[in-house]
Amino acid sequence: MKLFGLPALAAVSLVSSLVAGAAGAQTAIQAGEWETTEKTAMEGMQPMAPSSKKVCLAADEAQLERLLFPTPDEIKQHGCTYEAGAKKAGTLVATLTCPPNDQTPGVTAKAEITYTKTSYQGLGQLEAADKSGTTVKGKSELSGKRLGDCPK
């Protein structure tokens, strides 16, 4: 299962890691240990197994974007752009766009996430395109919850 010579999961991981610390309005959440879950399906491909991970957020990085997107440095390193959408209380809307290169397809990821200080859930829309213009679309269900204080 490859996406333009790149495993599809790697492309999705790139998007997931490229969306969080972006230079836009930050949405405050509670610091501590978080568990995040992502279920992604790409058109024309077998369903991917849901992925889950635990992340410890310190007080100075307790923002929803940190759980969903890469750091601003990672975004810049990949030549990507991050655009915050309309601001609504309890909702994060954002778009991340990354150009294709020799190793990875170009990706546009749009997310609409509802959140509280201790949980979030929402949907992501993905579109990946290689240099030849072949595109694949996909969807992600994103969720997370605060588990408590970070382990010591």
Side-chain angles (χ1 to χ4, degrees):
M1 173 171 81
K2 296 245 180 189
L3 179 64
F4 316 117
L6 176 76
L9 188 55
V12 172
S13 295
L14 172 67
V15 171
S16 296
S17 62
L18 287 177
V19 181
Q26 304 290 296
T27 53
I29 56 176
Q30 197 170 19
E33 184 178 28
W34 282 74
E35 181 175 42
T36 66
T37 303
E38 182 175 344
K39 298 176 188 173
T40 301
M42 301 296 287
E43 290 179 352
M45 297 183 185
Q46 292 185 5
M48 294 177 215
S51 64
S52 182
K53 66 180 178 179
K54 291 182 180 177
V55 178
C56 182
L57 294 180
D60 65 341
E61 59 183 7
Q63 299 152 349
L64 181 59
E65 290 84 352
R66 181 67 187 94
L67 294 173
L68 297 172
F69 302 104
T71 67
D73 287 344
E74 290 171 319
I75 290 172
K76 184 178 177 181
Q77 176 184 351
H78 290 281
C80 301
T81 57
Y82 174 88
E83 184 179 326
K87 297 181 186 343
K88 287 179 12 183
T91 302
L92 169 70
V93 178
T95 301
L96 179 75
T97 305
C98 299
N101 62 38
D102 291 337
Q103 292 81 35
T104 60
V107 177
T108 299
K110 297 179 181 184
E112 184 165 342
I113 309 295
T114 57
Y115 68 95
T116 68
K117 297 269 186 195
T118 59
S119 67
Y120 70 87
Q121 66 180 25
L123 298 174
Q125 302 285 331
L126 305 170
E127 185 171 307
D130 67 8
K131 286 184 173 184
S132 72
T134 303
T135 61
V136 175
K137 294 181 181 182
K139 295 180 182 181
S140 291
E141 293 178 31
L142 308 165
S143 63
K145 61 182 176 183
R146 184 178 185 275
L147 300 175
D149 293 338
C150 291
K152 295 186 181 194

